[in-house]
Amino acid sequence: MKENSVLPAHVHTVQTETFHVLSGVARYQLNGKDGILQAGEEVSFGPGIAHINPIPDGEEDLHLRVRVAPALDFHVILETIIKAAEKGDANPDGSIKPLHTAVLFNGVKSKVYMAGQPIWLQKATLPFLAFFGKLAGYKCGYPE
């Protein structure tokens, strides 16, 4: 699966994400294996499971219901990605800038790490990168 979602392959350490397809067809990746979901189907990604969130597969619009448990402060991540895109502060693929990502992920309880890289190394470098992100003016969340 080509990674063209806002978030590349990643891992949650304490949360489970469940995606239920309301309409359309979705592609996703679970532990490096591609999958397809039709309307009425769902997939869950538990803590420690590397995945790529479902994205549209085909011309039909994709409508999903997403559950994150425990919710913690996951809404801060979603709001930041959406607001940055709306304000034109995101990368062309819709993702937020790397230093803003560092500030955000360092500042929330909803821990997300990139798959394929040692989590201990990401934990060690994230505060350092977040420091420079704050110097660049980024905040945890998205300022109004």
Side-chain angles (χ1 to χ4, degrees), residues 21-26 36-40 56-57 60-64:
V21 178
L22 301 172
S23 64
V25 179
I36 297 283
L37 293 172
Q38 306 288 333
D57 187 49
E60 187 179 351
D61 288 342
L62 175 62
H63 297 270
L64 299 167

Side-chain angles (χ1 to χ4, degrees), residues 13 17 22 26 39 97 118 131 144:
T13 57
E17 265 185 316
L22 301 172
K97 310 282 186 194
F131 171 79
E144 287 299 318

Side-chain angles (χ1 to χ4, degrees), residues 6 13 18 20 35 44 57 86 91 104 113 115 122 139 144:
V6 172
T13 57
T18 302
H20 180 87
S44 290
D57 187 49
E86 287 174 349
N91 293 316
L104 176 63
Y113 298 97
Q122 294 179 66
K139 296 181 175 23
E144 287 299 318

Side-chain angles (χ1 to χ4, degrees), residues 14-15 24 30 32 50 86 89 116 122 127:
V14 296
Q15 294 168 300
L30 175 62
E86 287 174 349
D89 292 340
Q122 294 179 66

Side-chain angles (χ1 to χ4, degrees), residues 40 45 56 80 99-100 110 114:
F45 308 118
T80 301
L99 287 179
H100 196 176
S110 299
M114 296 301 104

Side-chain angles (χ1 to χ4, degrees), residues 3-17:
E3 290 187 26
N4 60 353
S5 64
V6 172
L7 280 177
H10 60 282
V11 173
H12 302 270
T13 57
V14 296
Q15 294 168 300
T16 297
E17 265 185 316

